[in-house]
Amino acid sequence: MNTYLSRKLRVVSFILIIMVVFLHAHNISGENDLLNYYVQNFISTGITKISVALFFAISGYLFFFNIEEGKIQEFTKKIQSRSRTILLPYLLWSLWGILFFFLLQSLPFSRSFFNSDLLAEKSVPELLHTFFIKPLPYQLWFLRHLFAFALLSPLIYFVAKYARWVLLAGITILLLKILEIPENDFVHNRSLAYFCLGCYLGMHKQDWVKRGFSKFGIGAAVIWLALVTWRIIGDSQALINDKLWRNFIQHFEFFVGIFALWSLYDFFQKGKETTQKVLPTFLAFAFFLYVSHEPILTIIKKLGLKVLGKGSMNQLLLYFAAPLLTIGICIAVGMLLKKIAPKVYGVLTGGR
C-alpha cells in the first residue's frame, strides 16, 4: 500500500467516525417542526449513512488486499491478528459498558433515567448474552460482524477468486434484498455485501482504489446531496413504497456518496505534497472515539434535554452540541489515557 493511500484511509476513516457520532445524535420526538425534522434526518439518516457501508468496504479491502496465495496459514494469521485488534477490544468495551451502566443504575440521580432493563434484575444467562452478543455500547455490533467475517474469510476468498461474478451477483442480491435471506446477530445482508465488495476490490481492482478521482469530487458531491435530499423528502411523504425500488435508490445513493467522499479527498489534496507531512495527532484516536462515544453521547443528550427542555429549537441545538462535546471528551480522554497508561490504551484499542 502506498503512502498516499495509507494517509487517505486514515483521514477518510476519521471522517467516517465523525459521521457515526452524528448518526447516533438523532433526538427527534413527535413534536418537532419541519426544520428540525429535515435537518436531523438529512444528516443522521442521510449523508452519514454511507459511514457504515464504507467502513465495511474498507475493512474487506484491508483484509484481502495482501493475501498472496490463499493458504490456510494466511487466514489463520489474519484471524489471530483480528482476535487482538477486534475481538479483545469488543469484549473489554462490552464489559466496560456493563460496569458503567450498573454504576449509573445504582446511583439515585442517574437511576431515574432507566425505566427498564436494570442489570441487577437480569439473570446470569441474560448478562452473558449482553456481554457477548448485545453489548450496552451498541456501536460494538460493527466489531462483532467484522470478526464473524474474518472467520468466514476463507469461503469469501474462494468465491472471490474462482467465481467473482457469483460474488458480485451475491452482493447485488444482498443489497437489493431480492431474496429473503435471514439475518442474525453476526451477519447482516448489507454489512456482508459491503465487506465482500471490499474483498473484490482488494483482490481484483486495487488499481481502482489507488487511482485519484479529484476531477469528479465536486460533481459527485452535488449529485450525492441531491439524492439524499430526494430520498429524505420521499420518505417523509411516503413517495417510495416499492421495496426493491427503494433498496436500489438507497444503495445507488450510497455508492455515489462513497465515491464522492473518496474523490473529495483527492480534490482537496490535488497539487499538494503529502508524503512528508505529519498527520494531525487527533486522527490516531479514531478507533477510541468509535468505541467510547456511547454511552457518553446518550448521557449528554438526556441531560441536555432534561436541562433545556424538549422544545424544537432546544433539540436542534443539542443535536449539534452533543456530538461535538462527545467528540471532544472522547479524544481528550483518549489522549490522556495514552499518555498515562499507554499499555492499557493499547489493549483497549487493539494496538492502534
Side-chain angles (χ1 to χ4, degrees):
M1 183 184 300
N2 60 41
T3 303
Y4 182 84
L5 179 57
S6 177
R7 292 173 60 89
K8 185 176 185 177
L9 287 173
R10 291 187 65 183
V11 173
V12 169
S13 294
F14 187 83
I15 293 172
L16 295 178
I17 292 291
I18 300 301
M19 285 185 169
V20 168
V21 178
F22 272 91
L23 188 154
H24 294 155
H26 208 256
N27 64 30
I28 294 177
S29 66
E31 304 169 355
N32 295 280
D33 60 13
L34 290 178
L35 175 64
N36 199 10
Y37 173 87
Y38 282 114
V39 168
Q40 291 204 35
N41 277 292
F42 179 77
I43 298 174
S44 286
T45 64
I47 61 176
T48 63
K49 281 292 186 178
I50 68 167
S51 57
V52 176
L54 184 49
F55 263 135
F56 275 114
I58 290 174
S59 299
Y61 177 85
L62 293 176
F63 192 98
F64 289 97
F65 88 100
N66 61 352
I67 291 182
E68 298 177 356
E69 300 178 16
K71 293 182 178 180
I72 191 64
Q73 294 88 342
E74 291 183 274
F75 293 103
T76 301
K77 185 177 180 180
K78 290 257 183 188
I79 292 171
Q80 288 176 342
S81 173
R82 281 358 183 230
S83 296
R84 178 177 61 87
T85 62
I86 294 176
L87 182 59
L88 182 58
Y90 172 84
L91 295 175
L92 291 175
W93 284 98
S94 180
L95 177 61
W96 151 254
I98 290 175
L99 296 176
F100 186 60
F101 270 72
F102 183 80
L103 175 63
L104 292 178
Q105 292 174 0
S106 302
L107 300 174
F109 170 76
S110 52
R111 181 170 180 171
S112 62
F113 289 96
F114 297 90
N115 298 320
S116 60
D117 295 326
L118 297 178
L119 290 172
E121 299 176 356
K122 287 182 178 291
S123 65
V124 172
E126 288 174 330
L127 287 173
L128 290 175
H129 185 264
T130 299
F131 175 58
F132 287 107
I133 309 299
K134 292 289 187 182
L136 294 174
Y138 57 83
Q139 73 275 17
L140 296 179
W141 72 269
F142 176 80
L143 297 183
R144 184 174 68 246
H145 283 220
L146 276 188
F147 192 73
F149 297 158
L151 297 178
L152 292 173
S153 59
L155 175 60
I156 297 173
Y157 175 86
F158 180 85
V159 176
K161 184 172 183 178
Y162 298 105
R164 68 177 72 177
W165 292 108
V166 173
L167 182 76
L168 293 175
I171 292 171
T172 303
I173 291 171
L174 290 172
L175 291 181
L176 299 183
K177 297 184 179 179
I178 296 173
L179 301 176
E180 291 296 331
I181 301 175
E183 298 181 329
N184 54 58
D185 290 321
F186 300 94
V187 179
H188 287 175
N189 293 338
R190 187 176 74 177
S191 56
L192 177 60
Y194 281 103
F195 185 83
C196 288
L197 177 61
C199 166
Y200 175 79
L201 294 173
M203 291 178 60
H204 302 296
K205 298 295 179 182
Q206 289 190 25
D207 57 321
W208 287 8
V209 178
K210 295 176 182 178
R211 188 181 304 169
F213 297 95
S214 59
K215 63 181 179 180
F216 300 107
I218 299 299
V222 171
I223 296 173
W224 173 38
L225 296 178
L227 289 171
V228 171
T229 302
W230 178 44
R231 179 172 59 83
I232 296 301
I233 294 175
D235 285 351
S236 69
Q237 303 298 323
L239 299 178
I240 308 171
N241 295 315
D242 181 77
K243 183 178 179 180
L244 182 62
W245 177 235
R246 193 185 187 289
N247 288 332
F248 174 82
I249 291 173
Q250 184 174 65
H251 290 291
F252 177 71
E253 172 197 313
F254 284 3
F255 280 115
V256 174
I258 289 171
F259 180 71
L261 181 59
W262 198 252
S263 303
L264 282 172
Y265 178 90
D266 298 327
F267 176 81
F268 287 111
Q269 291 298 320
K270 186 178 181 180
K272 297 180 180 179
E273 180 58 49
T274 61
T275 56
Q276 300 301 320
K277 289 184 178 180
V278 177
L279 287 171
T281 303
F282 60 81
L283 293 181
F285 296 90
F287 184 82
F288 188 86
L289 172 58
Y290 158 72
V291 290
S292 64
H293 78 273
E294 284 288 4
I296 295 174
L297 176 61
T298 296
I299 292 172
I300 293 175
K301 287 195 298 182
K302 287 190 174 184
L303 287 175
L305 291 174
K306 186 177 182 65
V307 172
L308 299 176
K310 295 185 178 180
S312 177
M313 288 300 100
N314 290 338
Q315 287 181 321
L316 188 58
L317 172 64
L318 193 61
Y319 174 73
F320 289 102
L324 292 175
L325 184 57
T326 299
I327 292 166
I329 291 173
C330 291
I331 291 178
V333 171
M335 288 180 172
L336 179 62
L337 182 61
K338 187 175 183 179
K339 182 177 181 179
I340 64 176
K343 290 185 178 180
V344 173
Y345 178 88
V347 173
L348 290 174
T349 60
R352 292 172 178 83

